[in-house]
Amino acid sequence: MTHDGAHLRADLALLDEAIAAAVLCHPHPQYGGDRFNPVIDALFEALPAAGITTVRFDFRPGAGRGDDLEPERSDATSALEEVVRRHPHLPTFVVGYSFGAAVVLGLDDSRIDAAVAVAPPLAMLPDELVPSFPTLVLVPERDQFTTPASARRIVGAWRNATTEVVASADHFLAGRTAAVAARTAQWLVAR
């Protein structure tokens, strides 16, 4: 349940011997994005396999209709609170894909130790947005919304952020989901 009483559907891969905890945020719900998106599915498999307790959730009904993303950030914060409650002394990560990456990059929470933004729509985000936590930005080589060159220019101004290009992929990452999930897990485990 969120701070304002919304109930979110979620799945939790809770590990007894977890090394960290993570929250996954899915693509735009107005375009069919949900917690069962193929990229989120691959991440939900890879992160627990790497020892990371992981929660994925659906944003509240009606999500994605506003411009400020505050309701969606509230949903992500509620999911974050759940994993922190279960693992209060472990590193905590947030990972988002597409719209979910926009949500993740706008979070301002001292409990976040690192983030991964997969195919974020950087050109659609405010210029003043600068994450306060270490961030890996994975940009598909042929992304329809953010080119690798523009991503490098934007992310280059951020403190403690890295941009990597996902070769042979467009925004939807068909055929590259396992590689993206593996790289995400590898980078987070190294934190």
Side-chain angles (χ1 to χ4, degrees):
M1 182 180 304
T2 64
H3 297 286
D4 59 0
H7 290 274
L8 306 178
R9 284 181 265 164
D11 303 307
L12 175 65
L14 182 62
L15 306 177
D16 291 333
E17 301 296 323
I19 60 167
V23 173
L24 302 179
C25 295
H26 65 73
H28 207 299
Q30 298 301 313
Y31 300 101
D34 62 18
R35 72 186 192 274
F36 301 115
N37 168 274
V39 175
I40 298 300
D41 270 344
L43 289 162
F44 193 68
E45 183 177 317
L47 297 187
I52 302 171
T53 284
T54 306
V55 65
R56 65 180 176 182
F57 67 95
D58 286 328
F59 291 110
R60 68 185 62 213
R65 292 196 177 126
D67 291 332
D68 67 6
L69 301 180
E70 284 310 311
E72 295 82 1
R73 288 188 184 120
S74 176
D75 293 349
T77 299
S78 294
L80 179 70
E81 288 170 356
E82 181 61 25
V83 297
V84 168
R85 183 181 71 76
R86 292 175 184 266
H87 295 300
H89 304 293
L90 294 180
T92 306
F93 308 129
V94 289
V95 180
Y97 165 50
S98 190
F99 173 85
V103 171
V104 161
L105 291 172
L107 292 173
D108 183 17
D109 193 308
S110 62
R111 297 170 295 184
I112 298 172
D113 293 292
V116 178
V118 179
L122 294 173
M124 299 174 189
L125 299 177
D127 290 337
E128 65 274 7
L129 179 102
V130 178
S132 59
F133 33 76
T135 306
L136 173 63
V137 179
L138 296 175
V139 181
E141 182 178 25
R142 295 186 303 272
D143 195 294
Q144 293 91 321
F145 303 103
T146 303
T147 66
S150 66
R152 283 190 192 98
R153 188 183 72 254
I154 294 166
V155 175
W158 298 355
R159 199 177 93 240
N160 209 1
T162 303
T163 303
E164 293 182 10
V165 175
V166 181
S168 305
D170 68 5
H171 186 77
F172 302 99
L173 297 162
R176 302 294 290 153
T177 57
V180 164
R183 178 61 184 132
T184 298
Q186 177 189 44
W187 190 82
L188 291 176
V189 166
R191 297 296 101 206

